[in-house]
Amino acid sequence: MRTAARRARSTWKPYAVGAAVAAALVATTACGGADSDEGGPVPPSASASQSRSQATPPAPDDAVGTDLCAMKDLTFAASKYGERGEPARHIMVVATNESDKECEIQNAPEIMLGDAQGPAPVMEGTEADEPFTLAPGEKAYAGVLATGGNRDTYEVTFMTLTLGSPGGEAEAEEPVELEMPTEGSFQADDGQRVTGWQPTEGLAMRPVTQS
């Protein structure tokens, strides 16, 4: 009986020691975590922050935005809008992006009809609410009402256009002379108006033809 008891106690001791060692190792791992370069524990918050930063994708390259169109980016053309044989009362102006990059166009063109004292006033409510983007080859449209039924009619033999100074960030660029929409000349008066730039022909010309 004594021999059996001693054998049972000697069998229990290695298992008890092993369990105590395993418990100590678990406690050490839970408290300390992975070792840092300095030899001490790395706080769990630092590891989580590092994981989040590595998982965050880089910002896209176009986050800065698209530049406004400049005169050098565009070509311009003017044509009479209406029935053949009628006077050139309604004129459509088209700006085409000839550059190799996107640009934004906004506000209204500054168009001088011949010897007018200033650019044609902008028709109220015809400017787009926000700038819109022209991809290479895309067009923007503006309408010109040459005669609004007022007096002081005069003969127009040349037209000029500039983009003006959108928002006042820079000085206005030099204007370009547009090819005349008709042979010879056409009549204008103090009721002349121009619409804001629009992405479609219809949006630009509808206010003009209804005036």
Side-chain angles (χ1 to χ4, degrees):
M1 296 295 292
R2 291 175 182 169
T3 303
R6 282 198 299 269
R7 188 176 300 146
R9 283 196 297 271
S10 63
T11 304
W12 175 83
K13 287 181 180 179
Y15 285 105
V17 172
V21 171
L25 288 174
V26 170
T28 303
T29 304
C31 294
D35 289 340
S36 67
D37 294 338
E38 300 294 332
V42 176
S45 59
S47 300
S49 176
Q50 183 177 8
S51 299
R52 285 195 298 270
S53 64
Q54 290 174 350
T56 303
D61 293 338
D62 60 352
V64 176
T66 305
D67 292 335
L68 290 176
C69 297
M71 296 288 285
K72 63 182 176 59
D73 299 321
L74 307 172
T75 58
F76 304 96
S79 59
K80 189 183 80 168
Y81 199 85
E83 298 294 332
R84 182 174 296 181
E86 291 183 351
R89 183 167 182 255
H90 306 137
I91 299 167
M92 182 172 68
V93 175
V94 181
T96 304
N97 182 3
E98 298 289 355
S99 72
D100 59 357
K101 61 184 177 69
E102 292 183 341
C103 64
E104 287 188 342
I105 195 164
Q106 64 178 6
N107 300 338
E110 291 188 1
I111 294 179
M112 291 275 290
L113 299 181
D115 294 322
Q117 295 181 351
V122 180
M123 295 183 72
E124 186 176 353
T126 63
E127 293 182 84
D129 294 333
E130 298 289 340
F132 58 93
T133 301
L134 294 182
E138 287 188 335
K139 304 177 186 296
Y141 302 84
V144 179
L145 178 66
T147 57
N150 293 7
R151 297 182 179 181
D152 299 326
T153 300
Y154 65 98
E155 189 174 15
V156 176
T157 58
F158 66 95
M159 303 168 55
T160 61
L161 177 149
T162 184
L163 295 176
S165 178
E169 293 93 353
E171 293 184 5
E173 298 181 80
E174 289 296 320
V176 296
E177 187 165 338
L178 294 171
E179 186 174 346
M180 290 288 287
T182 60
E183 294 183 4
S185 62
F186 62 89
Q187 297 296 305
D189 65 18
D190 292 344
Q192 63 186 253
R193 293 291 186 272
V194 63
T195 71
W197 291 116
Q198 295 290 345
T200 67
E201 175 182 325
L203 289 173
M205 297 309 298
R206 190 175 297 117
V208 168
T209 57
Q210 292 176 351
S211 298

